[in-house]
Amino acid sequence: MGGDAIFEALQDHLGLGNGETTDDGKVTLEHIECNAACDYAPVVMVNWEFFDNQTVQSAKRLVDDLRDGRTVSPTRGAPLCTFKETARILAGFPDEREGAVDAGGSAGPASLVGLRLARGETAPARVVHPRDGGPQDAPQDRAVHDPSPNEHLSSHDAPQDTSASDPAHPAGPTAEEGE
Amino acid sequence: MTLAAELKDTGPEKLLAPVLSAFWDEDRSWTLDVYRRHEGYEGLRKALAMSPDDLIAYVKESGLRGRGGAGFPTGMKWQFIPQGDGKPHYLVVNADESEPGTCKDIPLLFANPHSLIEGIVIACYAIRSSHAFIYLRGEVVPVLRRLHEAVREAYAAGYLGENILGSGLDLELTVHAGAGAYICGEETALLDSLEGRRGQPRLRPPFPAVAGLYACPTVVNNVESIASVPAILQNGKEWFRSMGSEKSPGFTLYSLSGHVASPGQYEAPLGITLRQLLEMSGGMRPGHRLKFWTPGGSSTPMFTDEHLDVPLDYEGVGAAGSMLGTKALQCFDETTCVVRAVTRWTEFYAHESCGKCTPCREGTYWLVQLLRDIEAGKGAMSDLDKLNDIADNINGKSFCALGDGAASPIFSSLKHFREEYEQHITGRGCPFDPAKSTAWADRTEVNA
């Protein structure tokens, strides 16, 4: 589906091999095995939070944002915490942050496709941001790229992505081409 | 209307049956409030009004079978627990979902964790257990967060703890996050891991029902199996048996993924076909056709477009030469190289092999070496027989089912696509362009 392409592109982009860490200590790149999210493939995880429906371009921007200290938001789940805090949750201590359990909505769009069909709703739920609630048409051709400052505009080797896979950079009818 | 008549009607409203997923689209669906609005914990009240033995018999008569892959009758598993033996009994829920393609328990626990908790209380009442565990894989922190919160809510509301709903039942529920190993989905390896040891399968017998967690009688059930129990109690075993077939009754979650137009979860009566699921959901991605697919994750022998009408229940898939497994329908279109897909799966098995037994540890290692050579155009014709031979030395000869799972994509791909392997060898490389099989391959180019 593209996981190999994303992993290779990130290795090139960061100049890292599998399991290596950038000089600034911000990003460690690791090849992950099955993460029970094939319905959102390809998936990248940061601190065990889901970043669904990624492309080469969105994954590169994700690591750039992480290295520059910009806020990134997972597609499903709570805002990122430090890995130390993640480890505490894994050890059995509940996440006490306000709204952390609520974050990400009830279910991602792919989790709801069958339910919507069973109800007689036919709108494709694939390109909908889970936090925006119900299905809505988000034509892909209207998605506008909002590049990070350090991203070279011609550096993308993947086509344009939609806001569904990159909630940190919502792009939609409110943004005009060229803004 | 009978089910047979219903199945003739091809509308998705008729073919699908959302039960566990029925209110996933509601705001805060994972909370106790929303769950109770949808008859949550009502099944528990009915269960507590029965005697434990009657309850086991009821679940057995419903025909519920394990949703984790093997399809073992859930009620029978509960019945195996010796009673009056003076030992503690345990229920352990296997939430170590990590088979490539499988993605049902994670959305279920994310959107509706209370169905599992209610099922756990019912099961523990039946097998007379006062301590249950949920073994969740550690890499899914969003799900872990909600499980922590749901368990807290259940304790606060008196569904867990002492004297649950005045029944005299005491139950402690522990959520345990594993460290993310596929082998820990094997039930005895899971128990070792839960006890704090390295996750490796145990020799059986004794089976967990006799000597499981801490050498005490233990039931290990899949998330979806246990989460299905409250609905059976609430709506009745006849209702449950009205769906699916005689031997595979009920509803289940099918997970469509891969090169399909609408990947995701489809809850339907057992016995639906991939053709029906694809027709209602928009089929393969536009302009492409199905090449091969797995009925239940990568360790179930692959199917091709000849098998579109196989009823997806335990018997139907078994009769067609595969296994229902976890109902993970990974669909690949004609842009996908079979050799490449099988190589990736085999790399997964080699990575996840625990190393306890030689056939699996060495066999998966050598399979990867051979497959990588073939994929890179460095293979010889004799390598194909060698692949088959190595897989044969793993299958049935390894310590646990991980080895069998590693062998099945090799056997089934050689059976259906031997020519494609041969092309890699004679053509000295892969005839496919991997860029064409990416999720974004067909999206219109946008200048940026």
Side-chain angles (χ1 to χ4, degrees):
Chain A
M1 290 296 287
D4 283 351
I6 291 175
F7 188 62
E8 277 165 27
L10 288 182
Q11 284 180 311
D12 276 356
H13 189 65
L14 295 170
L16 296 179
N18 189 11
E20 293 176 1
T21 306
T22 49
D23 290 339
D24 59 10
K26 295 268 177 65
V27 176
T28 299
L29 185 64
E30 204 179 333
H31 184 274
I32 56 169
E33 306 301 329
C34 159
N35 233 335
C38 277
D39 44 351
Y40 295 93
V43 168
V44 173
M45 294 197 100
V46 180
N47 291 3
W48 301 134
E49 304 287 352
F50 288 104
F51 289 78
D52 299 326
N53 300 116
Q54 294 293 298
T55 62
V56 167
Q57 169 200 350
S58 67
K60 278 187 188 172
R61 197 163 57 214
L62 175 63
V63 295
D64 287 344
D65 287 348
L66 287 169
R67 296 188 77 180
D68 291 346
R70 269 188 295 277
T71 309
V72 295
S73 302
T75 324
R76 288 175 282 163
L80 286 187
C81 49
T82 65
F83 197 67
K84 201 172 175 180
E85 287 162 331
T86 303
R88 274 182 61 83
I89 300 170
L90 288 173
F93 298 97
D95 193 339
E96 306 284 2
R97 290 177 297 159
E98 186 81 27
V101 184
D102 281 353
S106 294
S111 309
L112 298 176
V113 285
L115 177 61
R116 294 202 194 289
L117 274 176
R119 294 233 179 98
E121 301 164 24
T122 49
R126 210 184 165 187
V127 291
V128 177
H129 188 287
R131 255 164 277 176
D132 292 343
Q136 47 188 273
D137 285 324
Q140 298 199 350
D141 58 352
R142 294 184 70 179
V144 173
H145 180 48
D146 180 16
S148 304
N150 59 347
E151 181 185 18
H152 193 269
L153 287 178
S154 61
S155 68
H156 323 310
D157 46 359
Q160 186 57 273
D161 195 22
T162 70
S163 57
S165 60
D166 191 12
H169 298 82
T174 51
E176 292 300 322
E177 191 85 47
E179 255 184 28
Chain B
M1 190 158 58
T2 65
L3 185 70
E6 269 181 15
L7 284 173
K8 277 180 196 148
D9 191 337
T10 50
E13 296 91 335
K14 293 283 162 58
L15 289 171
L16 296 175
V19 177
L20 293 171
S21 63
F23 55 91
W24 288 3
D25 58 342
E26 272 188 36
D27 192 31
R28 309 189 79 227
S29 67
W30 68 93
T31 58
L32 183 57
D33 280 350
V34 175
Y35 187 59
R36 274 200 290 221
R37 277 212 300 279
H38 293 272
E39 301 178 328
Y41 291 99
E42 291 301 319
L44 172 62
R45 286 178 200 278
K46 292 190 180 173
L48 292 176
M50 302 162 89
S51 80
D53 287 339
D54 288 349
L55 177 57
I56 292 177
Y58 195 86
V59 172
K60 215 173 133 185
E61 285 158 18
S62 78
L64 174 65
R65 298 174 65 171
R67 302 290 193 240
F72 194 80
T74 304
M76 207 179 284
K77 229 180 200 180
W78 296 3
Q79 203 178 27
F80 286 157
I81 298 295
Q83 295 301 334
D85 56 347
K87 285 185 182 174
H89 301 163
Y90 296 110
L91 171 70
V92 177
V93 174
N94 185 346
D96 190 61
E97 179 165 71
S98 40
E99 160 103 355
T102 306
C103 48
K104 66 188 178 67
D105 296 337
I106 293 309
L108 170 59
L109 290 174
F110 190 64
N112 186 6
H114 280 287
S115 61
L116 175 65
I117 297 174
E118 184 182 0
I120 287 172
V121 184
I122 294 171
C124 286
Y125 175 68
I127 64 165
R128 296 144 175 110
S129 162
S130 56
H131 199 161
F133 298 82
I134 302 173
Y135 186 98
L136 178 74
R137 59 178 306 178
E139 295 110 323
V140 286
V141 175
V143 174
L144 181 60
R145 249 184 222 111
R146 288 199 176 162
L147 268 180
H148 281 155
E149 175 63 12
V151 169
R152 188 198 64 74
E153 281 185 314
Y155 267 106
Y159 298 120
L160 290 171
E162 288 179 3
N163 193 18
I164 293 165
L165 302 179
S167 65
L169 171 68
D170 298 340
L171 177 60
E172 203 176 318
L173 176 56
T174 304
V175 179
H176 178 90
Y182 176 62
I183 189 65
C184 293
E186 198 283 332
E187 61 178 11
T188 58
L190 185 155
L191 294 174
D192 260 24
S193 170
L194 191 54
E195 288 179 5
R197 285 196 283 272
R198 178 175 177 164
Q200 289 192 324
R202 297 174 180 175
L203 188 65
R204 290 178 292 183
F207 289 93
V210 176
L213 188 64
Y214 307 118
C216 291
T218 302
V219 168
V220 185
N221 276 144
N222 172 259
V223 170
E224 194 192 342
S225 315
I226 291 287
S228 301
V229 171
I232 295 173
L233 266 298
Q234 173 61 15
N235 300 307
K237 62 185 180 194
E238 293 76 20
W239 164 82
F240 190 72
R241 295 200 75 99
S242 74
M243 291 177 271
S245 67
E246 176 67 26
K247 287 185 176 166
S248 306
F251 56 86
T252 194
L253 284 163
Y254 291 96
S255 312
L256 265 188
S257 67
H259 295 127
V260 293
S262 296
Q265 307 300 320
Y266 296 80
E267 201 172 6
L270 279 157
I272 198 168
T273 64
L274 181 63
R275 187 186 301 280
Q276 288 170 321
L277 283 167
L278 285 176
E279 274 175 4
M280 74 170 77
S281 65
M284 300 299 288
R285 54 180 184 170
H288 295 278
R289 57 176 180 79
L290 179 66
K291 180 175 174 185
F292 64 101
W293 56 291
T294 67
S298 58
S299 62
T300 56
M302 64 172 67
F303 278 161
T304 65
D305 57 357
E306 288 170 29
H307 303 91
L308 273 167
D309 295 311
V310 171
L312 295 172
D313 57 23
Y314 299 98
E315 286 71 34
V317 179
S322 187
M323 291 180 295
L324 185 61
T326 54
K327 298 104 43 201
L329 310 167
Q330 277 181 295
C331 304
F332 300 87
D333 69 20
E334 83 290 345
T335 63
T336 316
C337 170
V338 173
V339 176
R340 186 179 172 94
V342 172
T343 306
R344 294 299 171 275
W345 283 333
T346 307
E347 285 169 350
F348 171 83
Y349 289 112
H351 184 269
E352 297 295 326
S353 174
C354 78
K356 181 162 181 160
C357 73
T358 310
C360 174
R361 182 188 64 238
E362 299 298 317
T364 53
Y365 172 84
W366 285 109
L367 286 177
V368 169
Q369 309 309 312
L370 285 168
L371 283 165
R372 283 183 181 161
D373 270 1
I374 294 170
E375 197 192 348
K378 294 184 285 183
M381 267 323 175
S382 61
D383 287 346
L384 299 186
D385 292 333
K386 205 179 282 170
L387 275 180
N388 208 59
D389 190 40
I390 294 174
D392 193 44
N393 275 313
I394 302 173
N395 190 35
K397 300 173 184 80
S398 57
F399 205 84
C400 75
L402 192 151
D404 303 342
S408 81
I410 306 284
F411 288 140
S412 57
S413 62
L414 278 170
K415 180 178 156 202
H416 295 298
F417 297 101
R418 194 179 176 99
E419 275 177 18
E420 203 165 303
Y421 280 94
E422 288 170 357
Q423 276 174 19
H424 280 74
I425 293 161
T426 52
R428 290 270 157 241
C430 181
F432 292 89
D433 174 8
K436 287 209 167 72
S437 64
T438 58
W440 54 81
D442 294 343
R443 287 186 207 163
T444 33
E445 289 288 341
V446 172
N447 296 323

